[in-house]
Amino acid sequence: MNALVHPSAVSTDAAEASPLISVKGLEVEFRTARGTVRAVRGVDMVLRKGETLAVIGESGSGKSVTARAILGILQTPPAYIAGGSIQFKGRDLLRISEKERRSIQGARIAMVFQDALAALNPLLPVGWQIAELFKVHRSLPMWKGYEEAIELLRRTGIPSPEERVNQYPHQFSGGMRQRVVIALAIALSPDILLADEPTTALDVTVQAQVMHLLAKLRSEAGLALLLITHNIAIAAEVADRVAVMYAGRVIEEGPTADVLKRPTHPYTAALASLASDAITGVQAPIPGSPPDLAAIPSGCAFHPRCEMARDVCRQVDPALRTIRQGQRSACHFAEEVSL
Amino acid sequence: MSNPIPAPFGNPALRAYLAMLRRDRFAVIAVTVLILVLVTGLVIAPLMGDAAVLQDLRARMRPPFQLQFGLHSLLGTDLLGRSVLYRLAAGAQLSVSIALTAAVAAATIGTAIGIWAGYAGGIVEGVAMRIADVILSFPTLLLALLFLYLLDSQTGNIILLLIIGRVPLYIRVARAETLETRGRLFVDAARSLGATSWTICTREIAPVVLPTILTLAALDVGVLMLLESGLSFLGLGVQPPAVSWGGMVAEGRRWINSAWWLTLFPGLAIFLTALSATIFSNWLRVAMDPAHRWRLEGTRPGAASARSGIAS
Amino acid sequence: MASLILKRLAESFLSLICLVCAVFFAARLTGEPGKLYLPLTATDEVVDAFNRQHGFDQPIWKQFLDFVVGLTRLDFGESLRRQQPALSAALEAYPATLSLVAVTMVVALLISTLLGCLAAFRPGSIFDRLSTGLAVSAASFPDFWLALMGVLVFSVGLHWLPTSGTGTWLHWVLPVTVLMMRPLGSLVQVVRGSMIDVLSSAYMAAARGRGIPVWRQLFIHALRNASLPALTVLGIQAAAFLNGAVIVETIFGWPGIGRLMITAIFDRDFPVVQATVVVTAVSIFLLNLVVDVLYGVIDPRIRL
């Protein structure tokens, strides 16, 4: 696996196309009896038609929460949207009615989950869960939905779909289950696919197969893919653009090759070198650990772990600004990072 | 030999427990009721002499709350003019002592067997679990009824049967906790330092099992009281002329049309005591569990766990 | 699933055997088994004659052998008060208890599911706290007292319901209500707990993310999963239902096994007491079996 990005003709066109979905200033907090935790603190993100955006970050960085906010499945309580907007097809997803939201969920925006076994209802047959989508969104009778389900299972590469369609989730292997979850997600040909760590729970060979499937479906259907991962190598392989999140904010974003080869934020630089070190065998993990979201450091959230930290970093939280064409970073000393 | 690694629940001082108690209003009420019942049963009742059985035919069948007749008739009187209030107090003595004795005995015996079964494993464990299952599979009341028929209804027998009926529960719980603890590090550490099985069971395992058992026993006091009163109601428990709450309800049943107070008050006493035992047991469960204790301490979990020395 | 049922069968059978043996030996450990059958006022000669007549003076092992043989022929002896075999007396009374317990179980399951789901939907709400309080109280009521209070208020006071007996559906109201109180407490808590777990699970989030309407989520996706722990508890509570049945039948004059047992105890009709014990044990086993099968029907993971 190399750090070269797969050149995608789509991305140059996409750069000019208007965004399909535009997240602005998203803030999500979790209010529990123990206190309030700000999981997402002002995230801006843009996804264009046919584009693949990889959202990279450690656990706790807020990437999953952002995706769930887009899909609208955050559980309130304890999660509360404290601010921001998500523009999709002329509507703000945070302010639409329940009915409208349900018509979008599954049909226009869909999610592929990390743990396929947990994401499927263990007591309902797989085909039933797919057929239900057609009943709910397109008012098709269940038997027709089952036909569609068989087709979808075939498309996602599951052998003998006619038999498999009546089986239960626990009867599938890990990789096959993930394909079922993908089938559920693409069933109604959505515009956007949110993939939350789709391969993390799988072993390496299966990972490659699933990513390949996702890429194939993406190019077949022209859908936009928001890929959440902490695996930089995978991001490098498939993503057109990359957004790096830390402690609830996007701290760098831009075209994949630029961000990974010429990072403009110390955190991204550390991550990128970790990834390539993994290949050369030298491990130099980033010192420290991600901050407790209930007690975020003052100023720049990364400063306690940053080699380049200076006084201003402790005091002032840097805003996301454009450093080069199409590449933005939230660091006071962004220009010095790739020196 | 002192514990090489501290027991998983750091022991807060008694004062800390009292503070936690004050935070839960229902628990305070429950504890008050329980103390009241205990004091009545164990202290006041023996001092009452035969006030409870004193008949006064001039005072028969008085409805309650007629204050002109004084404390004696505060809760009414029965057919023989005996005071419901005094009989309630007298009934507390038997009900409380039976329930407490049975609870403590069942808890002790059951826990001992359970720890032994869990620690030793093999045949001992198999036999213990089998017996426990057999006893548990049958309704306790019916079992007690059957054996009280075969033996007679002396207080000792009643207590014995209640103990036999509840022991399996403790065996199961103690064994499960022992199995879980047995594999943990500090037990191995103790063994490697040359501790005997007995020492390990009493010093290492028992303290871990204790909180769960205590919670269960508190709950059990209520359950036992309900069981005993049921037996007395059916006529197979405490026999007259001894006074018990269940027996009072049975006596009052005949007069349900006219003297409703004869059934209401004894039953209410049973209900409130059992309810208090349940509430207290719930409070105890939270108070003894370091993971949930913060709910009663009124502080953030960070501070609380720093105090009890457990990493959050 | 067949192996599961077989295992259950074997375990319960073992329990049954143990119970019956315990009854046998307990009856004889008092030394004077004849006394159990005869009125307490019977003279020693009468008792001795009785003992000889029924073989109680024979060596224990021989008695046990006869007993076992009698068991295999389902012969529990003759009732001393009624003119019929003990077993048939027990079996006659059995349907009344079975129907009472069955109806109560179904009603309890329905009500607890409803209350538990509603409480889980809005945890911490007034409704939730009320239902928790109710659940805790329900488990603390002495059932005989509750029955009498029910009679006091609804029969004596308001004249809405009959005091005892069977016949119309009205006769069922108080007995079923009283019988289900104690199990209802724990059932509501269990349903609430498992519903909360289910509602916060990943597959429910996934279902929400597919735009499934709320009522479908609740009734088609969540309910099935949430009912499993409740079903288990229901099975465990089978013994508790029979406990309660004794009291309820006695107070309401319901012609079931529980009342039969109490009557037989006071009549000193030991064969009938023995027979009711065995019939009760068998019915508990059957109830558990039904619960197991039901569990397998709902949860496909157990089936295969």
Side-chain angles (χ1 to χ4, degrees):
Chain A
M1 288 189 270
N2 48 36
L4 276 176
V5 101
H6 170 73
S8 172
V10 185
S11 71
T12 23
D13 295 338
E16 276 88 55
S18 60
L20 188 54
I21 192 164
S22 173
V23 179
K24 280 202 180 63
L26 181 66
E27 290 183 32
V28 180
E29 37 182 65
F30 284 80
R31 295 182 207 156
T32 65
R34 300 182 179 205
T36 300
V37 168
R38 298 176 61 210
V40 178
R41 308 180 296 129
V43 158
D44 294 336
M45 211 179 268
V46 155
L47 187 63
R48 297 185 179 84
K49 188 168 151 68
E51 159 181 80
T52 300
L53 171 70
V55 179
I56 302 178
E58 291 167 299
S59 48
S61 55
K63 38 194 212 296
S64 280
V65 176
T66 306
R68 278 157 205 259
I70 295 176
L71 186 59
I73 59 169
L74 286 175
Q75 260 195 317
T76 303
Y80 290 86
I81 310 259
S85 72
I86 303 179
Q87 294 292 334
F88 175 68
K89 296 198 166 179
R91 288 169 289 184
D92 184 357
L93 293 183
L94 298 177
R95 284 167 186 85
I96 53 177
S97 67
E98 266 305 305
K99 195 154 170 258
E100 266 198 278
R101 180 172 299 132
R102 275 203 302 276
S103 68
I104 294 179
Q105 287 169 331
R108 303 270 59 80
I109 306 180
M111 188 178 265
V112 173
F113 293 85
Q114 171 179 350
D115 185 354
L117 186 58
L120 293 167
N121 192 325
L123 303 187
L124 296 167
V126 149
W128 191 98
Q129 299 188 46
I130 301 179
E132 182 190 32
L133 274 178
F134 290 94
K135 185 175 174 66
V136 165
H137 287 275
R138 303 227 179 116
S139 305
L140 283 182
M142 285 302 269
W143 64 266
K144 257 204 149 269
Y146 262 88
E147 285 181 2
E148 301 276 352
I150 295 176
E151 244 340 280
L152 278 162
L153 291 182
R154 201 191 310 276
R155 248 178 96 192
T156 52
I158 294 177
S160 346
E162 300 85 2
E163 287 167 31
R164 297 293 235 166
V165 83
N166 287 315
Q167 290 183 340
Y168 292 89
H170 66 277
Q171 295 172 272
F172 289 73
S173 71
M176 289 288 144
R177 264 201 297 272
Q178 193 60 289
R179 290 169 194 267
V180 170
V181 172
I182 293 175
L184 265 170
I186 61 161
L188 301 170
S189 308
D191 303 312
I192 300 177
L193 198 60
L194 307 165
D196 190 349
E197 311 251 20
T199 55
T200 309
L202 305 169
D203 50 283
V204 187
T205 37
V206 184
Q207 269 185 25
Q209 290 171 0
V210 170
M211 287 312 302
H212 183 73
L213 173 65
L214 277 177
K216 180 181 92 143
L217 292 170
R218 184 196 59 168
S219 59
E220 273 177 11
L223 50 74
L225 178 64
L226 186 113
L227 176 68
I228 297 177
T229 179
H230 59 262
N231 186 330
I232 299 192
I234 290 187
E237 282 261 317
V238 296
D240 304 312
R241 291 176 53 246
V242 157
V244 182
M245 283 187 72
Y246 186 80
R249 296 187 53 205
V250 175
I251 50 100
E252 176 154 18
E253 62 113 6
T256 316
D258 294 341
V259 169
L260 294 182
K261 291 209 297 191
R262 292 191 305 264
T264 54
H265 192 285
Y267 180 60
T268 319
L271 283 182
S273 72
L274 254 183
S276 55
D277 281 347
I279 302 161
T280 57
V282 178
Q283 286 293 335
I286 310 175
S289 47
D292 178 1
L293 290 172
I296 297 176
S298 60
C300 171
F302 186 61
H303 84 254
R305 304 165 75 187
C306 184
E307 287 180 335
M308 296 169 47
R310 285 164 230 178
D311 284 333
V312 60
C313 303
R314 277 177 267 279
Q315 287 149 15
V316 180
D317 198 2
L320 202 60
R321 58 195 173 94
T322 308
I323 312 294
R324 291 187 210 108
Q325 170 72 343
Q327 190 172 356
R328 300 191 293 165
S329 159
C331 177
H332 294 298
F333 306 101
E335 293 82 357
E336 297 173 26
V337 173
S338 296
L339 293 176
Chain B
M1 192 198 81
S2 58
N3 289 347
I5 298 163
F9 69 103
N11 265 318
L14 192 62
R15 213 179 311 162
Y17 269 103
L18 283 174
M20 280 195 284
L21 185 62
R22 262 181 304 148
R23 290 205 180 271
D24 187 345
R25 282 163 301 160
F26 288 116
V28 172
I29 299 178
V31 170
T32 314
V33 170
L34 286 175
I35 294 182
L36 188 69
V37 171
L38 254 157
V39 166
T40 310
L42 298 176
V43 174
I44 296 183
L47 295 175
M48 265 175 36
D50 50 3
V53 290
L54 215 56
Q55 301 177 11
D56 182 1
L57 294 174
R58 288 167 302 161
R60 26 208 275 247
M61 296 301 242
R62 282 196 193 137
F65 307 130
Q66 292 183 321
L67 298 167
Q68 67 265 35
F69 293 116
L71 196 66
H72 173 271
S73 305
L74 185 64
L75 295 181
T77 60
D78 67 0
L79 181 68
L80 297 171
R82 297 177 294 190
S83 160
V84 171
L85 180 65
Y86 294 164
R87 283 174 73 75
L88 272 185
Q93 182 176 17
L94 262 177
S95 298
V96 167
S97 20
I98 293 179
L100 266 180
T101 315
V104 169
T108 316
I109 300 175
T111 310
I113 298 179
I115 293 185
W116 182 37
Y119 189 75
I123 294 192
V124 170
E125 185 184 4
V127 167
M129 293 311 288
R130 253 310 120 239
I131 297 181
D133 280 343
V134 170
I135 300 181
L136 274 178
S137 69
F138 206 70
T140 317
L141 192 71
L142 281 150
L143 217 55
L145 283 173
L146 178 69
F147 283 96
L148 281 171
Y149 172 81
L150 297 174
L151 322 162
D152 60 60
S153 295
Q154 291 173 341
T155 313
N157 287 339
I158 299 175
I159 297 183
L160 186 66
L161 285 169
L162 289 175
I163 294 177
I164 295 179
R166 304 304 289 173
V167 156
L169 203 62
Y170 293 97
I171 295 182
R172 268 212 187 147
V173 170
R175 167 189 167 262
E177 295 249 343
T178 305
L179 283 181
E180 202 209 294
T181 314
R182 192 175 62 170
R184 283 209 239 150
L185 207 57
F186 61 91
V187 172
D188 285 339
R191 203 178 304 149
S192 69
L193 286 168
T196 63
S197 299
W198 170 257
T199 322
I200 294 183
C201 281
T202 50
R203 299 262 192 116
E204 310 287 344
I205 298 185
V208 178
V209 176
L210 207 60
T212 319
I213 298 291
L214 271 178
T215 309
L216 199 61
L219 198 62
D220 228 20
V221 170
V223 174
L224 284 163
M225 193 160 278
L226 288 168
L227 271 172
E228 177 270 316
S229 58
L231 285 171
S232 303
F233 174 80
L234 289 170
L236 282 152
V238 174
Q239 302 291 317
V243 188
S244 77
W245 289 342
M248 287 174 74
V249 176
E251 284 169 13
R253 182 180 167 198
R254 265 188 300 160
W255 311 105
I256 190 135
N257 288 338
S258 42
W260 51 269
W261 57 92
L262 295 177
T263 39
L264 179 75
F265 291 120
L268 201 61
I270 304 171
F271 170 58
L272 289 175
T273 312
L275 186 64
S276 303
T278 309
I279 295 178
F280 176 61
S281 157
N282 283 345
W283 172 84
L284 202 63
R285 183 167 20 107
V286 175
M288 293 190 114
D289 183 356
H292 291 290
R293 202 179 278 151
W294 59 271
R295 289 177 218 266
L296 291 170
E297 283 173 338
T299 53
R300 292 288 135 84
S305 48
R307 258 194 287 145
S308 47
I310 300 163
S312 49
Chain C
M1 190 153 89
S3 63
L4 201 76
I5 298 187
L6 272 169
K7 190 162 163 288
R8 272 283 201 179
L9 248 155
E11 280 178 3
S12 302
F13 201 64
L14 186 67
S15 297
L16 196 63
I17 303 260
C18 287
L19 190 70
V20 171
C21 291
V23 169
F24 173 87
F25 283 109
R28 278 149 190 80
L29 67 78
T30 57
E32 298 274 1
K35 282 232 186 80
L36 291 173
Y37 290 72
L38 299 168
L40 293 163
T41 51
T43 61
D44 283 343
E45 292 107 27
V46 176
V47 175
D48 285 339
F50 185 86
N51 281 342
R52 259 175 286 124
Q53 182 189 8
H54 283 79
F56 288 136
D57 51 345
Q58 309 221 335
I60 274 274
W61 60 267
K62 185 154 194 320
Q63 287 190 48
F64 190 59
L65 216 59
D66 291 337
F67 177 68
V68 172
V69 169
L71 270 187
T72 52
R73 285 193 322 226
L74 290 181
D75 177 9
F76 284 88
E78 284 276 322
S79 161
L80 297 166
R81 298 285 168 267
R82 308 136 204 271
Q83 308 309 315
Q84 58 176 163
L87 188 62
S88 62
L91 288 176
E92 262 176 23
Y94 186 55
T97 306
L98 194 64
S99 51
L100 180 65
V101 171
V103 169
T104 311
M105 272 184 160
V106 170
V107 174
L109 194 61
L110 286 173
I111 296 187
S112 64
T113 308
L114 193 68
L115 286 178
C117 285
L118 285 171
F121 210 51
R122 294 267 171 266
S125 64
I126 303 273
F127 183 86
D128 183 23
R129 281 195 262 180
L130 263 174
S131 69
T132 306
L134 213 74
V136 170
S137 305
S140 310
F141 283 122
D143 32 15
F144 54 90
W145 180 68
L146 194 66
L148 288 174
M149 289 295 114
V151 168
L152 191 65
V153 172
F154 292 102
S155 300
V156 173
L158 295 170
H159 297 291
W160 286 352
L161 297 168
T163 14
S164 62
T166 52
T168 66
W169 71 271
L170 281 171
H171 284 97
W172 287 71
V173 175
L174 275 177
V176 169
T177 311
V178 172
L179 189 58
M180 80 172 177
M181 268 300 148
R182 295 267 284 273
L184 193 70
S186 42
L187 273 174
V188 168
Q189 291 302 87
V190 167
V191 171
R192 173 186 175 276
S194 75
M195 198 57 171
I196 288 183
D197 282 343
V198 167
L199 287 177
S200 58
S201 68
Y203 55 84
M204 286 309 293
R208 277 206 308 281
R210 298 202 292 271
I212 312 287
V214 173
W215 69 266
R216 262 190 102 90
Q217 285 177 39
L218 271 178
F219 292 113
I220 303 185
H221 286 255
L223 206 63
R224 212 172 304 212
N225 303 60
S227 68
L228 289 177
L231 207 58
T232 311
V233 170
L234 207 65
I236 296 174
Q237 296 273 4
F241 274 107
L242 282 150
N243 261 349
V246 173
I247 305 244
V248 166
E249 288 177 14
T250 306
I251 294 186
F252 291 106
W254 195 270
I257 286 259
R259 194 180 73 150
L260 182 65
M261 190 179 191
I262 298 287
T263 322
I265 286 180
F266 283 109
D267 284 346
R268 301 196 70 76
D269 193 348
F270 191 61
V272 175
V273 175
Q274 240 182 351
T276 52
V277 165
V278 174
V279 171
T280 308
V282 171
S283 58
I284 293 180
F285 160 68
L286 285 174
L287 265 164
N288 278 315
L289 197 66
V290 168
V291 168
D292 278 344
V293 171
L294 226 64
Y295 204 99
V297 165
I298 297 185
D299 190 345
R301 293 172 292 187
I302 302 284
R303 267 185 247 160
L304 301 148

